[in-house]
Amino acid sequence: MHELKRVVVVGAGTMGSQIALQTALGGRHDVTLVDTVAGQLERARAQNRKLLDRSVEKGRLTKDAADAALKRIVDSKDLAAPAATADLVIEAVIENFDAKKSVFEDLGKHANEHAILASNSSTIAISRLADASGRPQLCCNMHFFHPVTVMQLCEVVRGPKTSDETVEAAMEFIRSIDRTPVLLKKEIWGFIVNRILFAASEEAMRLLEGGYASAEDIDIAVQKGLNWPMGPFHLLDFSGLDIFYGAMQDRHSTGDGPEPPEVLRKLVEEGRLGRKTGKGFFDYG
Ligand SMILES: NC(=O)c1ccc[n+]([C@@H]2O[C@H](COP(=O)([O-])OP(=O)(O)OC[C@H]3O[C@@H](n4cnc5c(N)ncnc54)[C@H](O)[C@@H]3O)[C@@H](O)[C@H]2O)c1
């Protein structure tokens, strides 16, 4: 198994910029960050600079190491040239099937024939994208969590055609950038973390709806009894109720999950979407 040295990240948004940064911080990889939208690469660089400055202020990183990490990320508006010499391409463009499929088609035409092609999608399993590249044995999901520089976990998802070598190399790459990989051996909606999060959140909403306990008390119970840093209702408000509602609906439409609880539907219809609108399950004033 050869080391995945040259890494290309496609999409310089919230996730892509931080995946590039985490990779650069390891100091072992050459990183190219690709985005086609004007101004996005500059925004990503400024955001990464801010993140690094904060780490330097807090004494977690030296100024030299921060500068070196940022220098190691090369910006590019073009995917074809950096992909041609890449060992690993991580797709992190918007969560839209057609956009992602078109990136995988481009990679099929331009990427180095040995390159591993990964998608950071939270919901689109790799089997839906892999064939577009013409080399599904080299494709997998690499699902990082936000913020990548803080959250240790990355879920690797094996598609039906993913080879053992691809899985091994993907897991090893994630370790090499100081994150912790887990392997989902067969594709399933929500992968591991979101399935468990959805099950717990749904149960919390059913308890609330049934009048068994208040949202405050359910959150306290989960925080103090299960040691979660945040109760499910605060977490729902933090993530955005519309996002959660949409994901539950999508899952339900595939026959794999329940209908969203009434209490959630009502809040979304009232525009109470959580922290971002100032109100959700709780009132943020
Ligand atoms: N935001 C999260 O908390 C989170 C967590 C885990 C996984 N994800 C997944 O990561 C992916 C990216 O999410 P995000 O929140 O960073 O999105 P985002 O909207 O912040 O960033 C997407 C970026 O992709 C760029 N882009 C779009 N089409 C492109 C193309 N063809 N080539 C190059 N760049 C292109 C956009 O300009 C934008 O900069 C999604 O699949 C999402 O499901 C997001």
Side-chain angles (χ1 to χ4, degrees):
M1 188 180 62
H2 72 291
E3 195 190 352
L4 306 180
K5 176 113 182 63
R6 282 158 303 190
V7 179
V8 173
V9 181
V10 194
T14 310
M15 293 303 286
S17 58
Q18 290 191 22
I19 294 168
L21 181 60
Q22 184 63 32
T23 305
L25 278 168
R28 288 167 56 181
H29 306 275
D30 302 328
V31 190
T32 304
L33 183 57
V34 177
D35 204 296
T36 47
V37 173
Q40 196 54 35
L41 287 163
E42 292 74 13
R43 268 193 290 279
R45 186 162 287 272
Q47 268 157 16
N48 280 343
R49 177 81 263 174
K50 231 193 246 173
L51 269 177
L52 289 168
D53 286 348
R54 222 175 297 146
S55 293
V56 172
E57 268 165 37
K58 290 188 174 163
R60 292 193 206 117
L61 201 65
T62 65
K63 170 103 177 50
D64 284 353
D67 291 347
L70 208 55
K71 234 190 221 164
R72 216 168 280 125
I73 304 174
V74 174
D75 294 342
S76 173
K77 290 195 166 110
D78 166 56
L79 173 60
T85 56
D87 299 310
L88 167 65
V89 182
I90 305 174
E91 170 280 306
V93 306
I94 42 167
E95 188 69 353
N96 172 285
F97 177 68
D98 291 335
K100 287 181 187 293
K101 187 169 169 233
S102 137
V103 170
F104 273 75
E105 277 165 1
D106 283 351
L107 291 173
K109 285 183 215 142
H110 303 293
N112 178 350
E113 60 176 0
H114 305 297
I116 288 180
L117 311 178
S119 172
N120 183 52
S121 176
S122 303
T123 60
I124 301 171
I126 198 63
S127 61
R128 297 183 59 206
L129 299 168
D131 285 337
S133 73
R135 22 179 134 160
Q137 72 285 1
L138 290 169
C139 297
C140 65
N141 289 94
M142 261 188 206
H143 183 222
F144 289 91
F145 289 74
H146 178 64
V148 182
T149 49
V150 175
M151 298 293 281
Q152 278 288 325
L153 186 69
C154 180
E155 296 174 311
V156 173
V157 184
R158 177 177 203 144
K161 299 179 187 167
T162 311
S163 72
D164 289 346
E165 293 73 25
T166 296
V167 169
E168 252 179 67
M171 304 283 283
E172 191 46 43
F173 165 74
I174 292 159
R175 286 185 203 105
S176 79
I177 61 164
D178 196 26
R179 301 293 85 168
T180 305
V182 289
L183 176 62
L184 184 65
K185 296 189 273 184
K186 289 188 285 185
E187 289 178 354
I188 192 164
W189 182 94
F191 309 152
I192 301 173
V193 170
N194 279 337
R195 280 191 90 82
I196 291 172
L197 175 65
F198 272 62
S201 306
E202 195 215 333
E203 190 55 43
M205 286 187 274
R206 302 279 179 220
L207 286 173
L208 177 70
E209 226 167 39
Y212 294 100
S214 66
E216 288 83 355
D217 276 358
I218 294 169
D219 268 11
I220 291 171
V222 171
Q223 252 185 306
K224 305 286 180 193
L226 293 175
N227 244 347
W228 285 27
M230 196 188 278
F233 291 110
H234 275 101
L235 190 55
L236 281 160
D237 275 354
F238 182 74
S239 313
L241 303 190
D242 50 336
I243 308 272
F244 200 86
Y245 181 72
M248 270 195 101
Q249 268 188 324
D250 280 351
R251 183 180 178 189
H252 177 63
S253 70
T254 68
D256 177 33
E259 259 188 88
E262 268 303 292
V263 61
L264 181 62
R265 187 180 61 76
K266 270 199 189 138
L267 287 174
V268 171
E269 278 174 8
E270 286 165 13
R272 295 176 57 133
L273 306 182
R275 272 195 171 274
K276 61 185 168 188
T277 58
K279 280 180 183 170
F281 284 102
F282 299 112
D283 199 333
Y284 298 92

